[in-house]
Amino acid sequence: MEKSSQTKFSLADQVRIFKGIIGFGKPYWLPFALSFVATAIVAAISAYLPIIIQRYLDEVLGTNSATLQVTIQVAAFYFGLTLLKVAVYYFRDFTFKLTAEKTVANMRNTVYQKVVHLGMRYFDQTPNGSVVSRVTNDTETIKEFWQVFLSFFDGLLNIVAITYAMFTLDAGLALIFMAFVPVMLILIYIYQRQSTFIYGRMRVALSTLNAKLSESISGMNIIQNYGQQNRLMQEFDDVNQTYVRARVGMFKMNALLLQPAINLLEAIALVLVLYIFGFQDLQGVAINVGVVYAFTSYAKSFFQPMGQMMDSLSIFQDGMVSGSRVLALLDDPEMAPVSNPGASGKVSEGHIQIKDLSFSYDEKKQVLHNINIDIKPGQTVAFVGQTGSGKSSIINVLMRFYEFNQGDILIDGQSIKDIPITQLREDIGLVLQDSFMFYGDIAENIRLHGDYSDDMVRAASQFVKADDFIESLEDGYHAKVIEGGAAFSTGQKQLLSFARSILREPKILVLDEATANIDTETEQKIQSGLANMRLGRTTIIIAHRLSTIKDADQIIVLKNGHIIEYGNHDDLIAQGGTYYNMYQLQTYSDAHQDTDEGETDDL
């Protein structure tokens, strides 16, 4: 589960987050500036429109000088300004929202770019759903957060324009409205303190909800196979209810401190204004009807922007929390390993030397201890050992998925840190135990959008003996591949993975238990493809079935991150040690399995 977000932001934190979000809008400063200019025009027109009616009432109707021509002129002027206000408002709204959309798209691209360059440690410690939530939900919330800037600027300009208009009409009455400003500031202060905590809880709850959903979808076959539906539904409901409770807390807070509070202040101000006009009338003071109209109009127009600004505070606080989560991801130092400055090495022969290598995933518990291995060009070396012995860890470090700080790995006499990462990945072909397929077709899954022709794709498939099953499909190399390659068998996906790797003509081949999930019969069919792949290449094999590595030039036995035995198959059998025991156990198990299958066939 994701750690809770910060519940209180200091002023320095808010300034930092604000600057971080604003930074994404710098390329679009001109349309933003035009939107703010349009906002100022709308505010000025809104403040002036009641004055037109006030002057018509007091200076025309009040003096009995009204004519049809004057009335039409006033109405036309009022209507013309209103049309101008609508047009400018449309321009402002469209321009601002379009620019905000582009800004968030830029942010989303930046966040995704960061994600694909994060180190594997980050994904080891962070649920997939949490990452998805930051790239999608949080950036979407920040899009609404941009609207806060416009609402605050709009509200502030309207208040300033209306205040100026009220003071030009009656300074005493205007001061009554100004007396409510401190009350508004107190409400804003209270809301800000309470809302940060509530929105922080809500964002974390939503992220956890996404993580739980992503985990359930990924493990649906296990859930259904072991009848865990009810348990998972209960767990999902618990997380969902946590999110609902956070949302309810937000609703309660907004219902108390936002629009209802504004409406109450507006009503109090209007009552006071009407009371003063009524009192003045009883005292025999001449009352201008136009001024009464103007101030009753301003009573709503003065508080409505404040209400909008208060409403925006909810989005502001939500955006601050989301912004802090996005910026935290962007600032995360757990980046994928990088090559040394000026790295220009390349793999030529495939001579691998591992010298005094020690490694830890969490910088606390060592999983590899002082590993020393020398693999000559063209040799096949196999790593064997129990789960957790360190086999895959050596591959993770060799492929630069994780950084190491103790010892070194040399390829052709140069540290792998002096070889550009892209060059290293091109020169080392990796086939994993689980072959991942992307949406698309077979050819694109082999090509992976690289600059390889159809003939090259076909040749690679033929080389690893994958062409038989591909050409048996109705659409051949253009057969559709659904998510994860679910329509293909494990063996077929593995053959596609072999073709994907061999297409790039790597100097070094790494097979990380590449046949572990394949049945024996299928494995025998693809062994010829594996044999072709190994020809003329330095090959490292993490072995699941020891019978498949008997011809390896060197077999290295690992236990708890230490090398405990090494040699070829015959040497290790002669030693009668750990490898001998493992081989005998597997041979015995395979023999009994064959016997059981034979008896089943007889039946």
Side-chain angles (χ1 to χ4, degrees):
M1 184 175 292
E2 186 182 3
K3 295 180 181 178
S4 297
S5 292
Q6 186 174 346
T7 55
K8 297 291 183 182
F9 293 122
S10 65
L11 179 60
D13 289 331
Q14 294 188 53
V15 171
R16 177 183 60 82
I17 296 169
F18 186 80
K19 285 183 176 179
I21 296 175
I22 288 292
F24 287 99
K26 287 182 179 179
Y28 311 100
W29 68 270
L30 181 58
F32 275 134
L34 292 175
S35 298
F36 288 127
V37 170
T39 300
I41 295 173
V42 170
I45 294 175
S46 297
Y48 185 67
L49 287 175
I51 293 179
I52 297 175
I53 303 299
Q54 176 263 324
R55 289 179 177 174
Y56 178 72
L57 291 174
D58 291 342
E59 298 175 9
V60 178
L61 294 182
T63 59
N64 295 320
S65 59
T67 64
L68 180 60
Q69 182 180 1
V70 170
T71 302
I72 292 175
Q73 288 176 347
V74 171
F77 184 57
Y78 188 94
F79 184 69
L81 278 182
T82 302
L83 284 180
L84 178 61
K85 174 185 172 182
V86 170
V88 175
Y89 187 91
Y90 171 81
F91 169 80
R92 182 206 72 175
D93 210 41
F94 178 79
T95 301
F96 189 89
K97 289 183 177 180
L98 178 63
T99 308
E101 191 72 43
K102 291 180 179 178
T103 302
V104 173
N106 179 32
M107 175 185 291
R108 195 175 291 122
N109 284 336
T110 303
V111 174
Y112 184 75
Q113 184 179 17
K114 172 75 174 188
V115 168
V116 299
H117 286 94
L118 283 169
M120 292 297 177
R121 283 192 180 94
Y122 181 87
F123 299 101
D124 292 340
Q125 301 167 3
T126 308
N128 291 342
S130 175
V131 180
V132 171
S133 182
R134 296 191 188 203
V135 178
T136 56
N137 298 97
D138 287 332
T139 54
E140 192 67 20
T141 299
I142 293 173
K143 181 172 67 179
E144 298 175 6
F145 180 64
W146 278 101
Q147 191 68 32
V148 173
F149 303 148
L150 187 63
S151 296
F152 266 79
F153 188 71
D154 186 22
L156 183 63
L157 285 180
N158 273 286
I159 290 172
V160 170
I162 291 170
T163 301
Y164 175 78
M166 288 191 297
F167 271 99
T168 60
L169 292 176
D170 191 317
L173 291 176
L175 288 174
I176 294 177
F177 285 86
M178 297 304 297
F180 287 93
V181 173
V183 179
M184 293 295 303
L185 294 176
I186 293 173
L187 283 176
I188 291 173
Y189 175 76
I190 294 173
Y191 182 87
Q192 185 180 25
R193 287 185 59 85
Q194 296 299 319
S195 60
T196 303
F197 171 74
I198 292 176
Y199 279 101
R201 274 186 7 193
M202 193 171 71
R203 283 286 118 194
V204 171
L206 180 59
S207 180
T208 305
L209 193 69
N210 286 331
K212 178 62 69 176
L213 179 61
S214 176
E215 181 184 56
S216 299
I217 293 174
S218 299
M220 189 58 67
N221 57 340
I222 301 298
I223 293 172
Q224 294 183 357
N225 182 60
Y226 288 93
Q228 298 296 298
Q229 293 94 327
N230 291 335
R231 179 181 69 84
L232 268 296
M233 285 190 294
Q234 183 60 52
E235 290 182 2
F236 185 84
D237 183 62
D238 292 341
V239 176
N240 192 31
Q241 290 305 314
T242 300
Y243 178 62
V244 169
R245 286 192 293 272
R247 295 280 295 179
V248 170
M250 177 195 70
F251 296 150
K252 289 180 179 178
M253 177 183 62
N254 290 353
L256 176 64
L257 296 177
L258 293 184
Q259 201 60 47
I262 298 299
N263 290 338
L264 177 62
L265 294 178
E266 178 187 328
I268 293 173
L270 184 60
V271 167
L272 285 175
V273 169
L274 293 176
Y275 171 78
I276 290 173
F277 278 127
F279 180 79
Q280 289 177 345
D281 185 61
L282 292 173
Q283 296 297 316
V285 178
I287 302 297
N288 293 324
V289 177
V291 175
V292 175
Y293 165 78
F295 268 90
T296 53
S297 296
Y298 286 142
K300 186 175 185 63
S301 299
F302 183 81
F303 286 99
Q304 186 178 18
M306 287 191 173
Q308 292 174 350
M309 294 169 67
M310 287 290 288
D311 279 335
S312 296
L313 281 177
S314 62
I315 302 175
F316 177 81
Q317 292 303 324
D318 201 9
M320 290 295 285
V321 173
S322 293
S324 70
R325 287 160 50 83
V326 170
L327 294 176
L329 188 153
L330 291 175
D331 293 338
D332 196 290
E334 194 59 68
M335 297 298 291
V338 295
S339 304
N340 289 334
S344 59
K346 61 184 300 184
V347 180
S348 56
E349 297 181 354
H351 183 191
I352 302 173
Q353 295 170 287
I354 302 177
K355 295 185 175 182
D356 302 321
L357 176 67
S358 295
F359 172 69
S360 171
Y361 284 104
D362 57 7
E363 299 182 357
K364 296 178 182 178
K365 180 182 178 181
Q366 295 277 36
V367 295
L368 295 176
H369 304 269
N370 197 35
I371 301 297
N372 287 276
I373 302 172
D374 190 353
I375 306 174
K376 303 298 183 182
Q379 279 191 336
T380 295
V381 173
F383 294 147
V384 301
Q386 302 298 328
T387 301
S389 62
K391 305 184 300 295
S392 294
S393 296
I394 295 177
I395 302 305
N396 285 336
V397 175
L398 174 65
M399 296 299 300
R400 302 284 279 140
F401 293 143
Y402 293 85
E403 187 61 272
F404 63 94
N405 298 310
Q406 299 181 47
D408 203 354
I409 299 177
L410 306 179
I411 298 181
D412 297 331
Q414 56 201 337
S415 172
I416 60 173
K417 295 182 180 181
D418 291 326
I419 303 175
I421 293 290
T422 53
Q423 184 67 49
L424 185 73
R425 302 271 169 82
E426 286 180 7
D427 291 332
I428 301 180
L430 175 63
V431 181
L432 298 171
Q433 178 178 347
D434 297 313
S435 302
F436 189 85
M437 298 289 122
F438 297 90
Y439 271 117
D441 61 26
I442 287 180
E444 281 305 321
N445 264 277
I446 296 174
R447 186 183 289 113
L448 285 184
H449 298 280
D451 188 19
Y452 303 102
S453 67
D454 290 342
D455 289 338
M456 296 170 71
V457 170
R458 188 173 291 103
S461 302
Q462 292 171 348
F463 188 80
V464 300
K465 309 301 182 184
D467 57 316
D468 288 343
F469 100 83
I470 295 176
E471 292 176 355
S472 68
L473 301 172
E474 182 178 351
D475 295 321
Y477 285 86
H478 298 291
K480 184 179 179 181
V481 177
I482 61 177
E483 184 177 7
F488 301 119
S489 69
T490 303
Q492 289 172 333
K493 288 190 291 184
Q494 204 67 315
L495 285 173
L496 295 179
S497 186
F498 292 159
R500 177 189 293 169
S501 179
I502 210 66
L503 177 63
R504 285 147 179 82
E505 299 183 351
K507 304 293 191 305
I508 298 171
L509 183 64
V510 177
L511 306 174
D512 189 352
E513 299 203 46
T515 61
N517 294 330
I518 300 174
D519 62 88
T520 304
E521 181 179 355
T522 303
E523 183 182 18
Q524 291 174 351
K525 292 180 180 179
I526 66 175
Q527 281 301 322
S528 59
L530 284 172
N532 283 345
M533 293 177 68
R534 289 165 52 184
L535 286 174
R537 291 183 174 86
T538 303
T539 304
I540 297 176
I541 302 175
I542 293 181
H544 176 70
R545 294 190 179 94
L546 302 185
S547 60
T548 63
I549 57 165
K550 292 170 63 176
D551 63 337
D553 298 293
Q554 189 176 181
I555 298 173
I556 297 173
V557 184
L558 294 159
K559 183 177 181 180
N560 297 327
H562 295 273
I563 296 177
I564 59 173
E565 293 176 6
Y566 62 91
N568 61 34
H569 174 77
D570 293 336
D571 292 338
L572 292 175
I573 292 296
Q575 290 179 23
T578 300
Y579 179 82
Y580 171 82
N581 293 330
M582 293 171 62
Y583 185 77
Q584 292 299 320
L585 181 62
Q586 279 199 11
T587 303
Y588 177 81
S589 176
D590 291 343
H592 276 262
Q593 182 179 358
D594 292 341
T595 301
D596 292 341
E597 290 176 353
E599 291 175 352
T600 303
D601 292 339
D602 291 339
L603 291 175

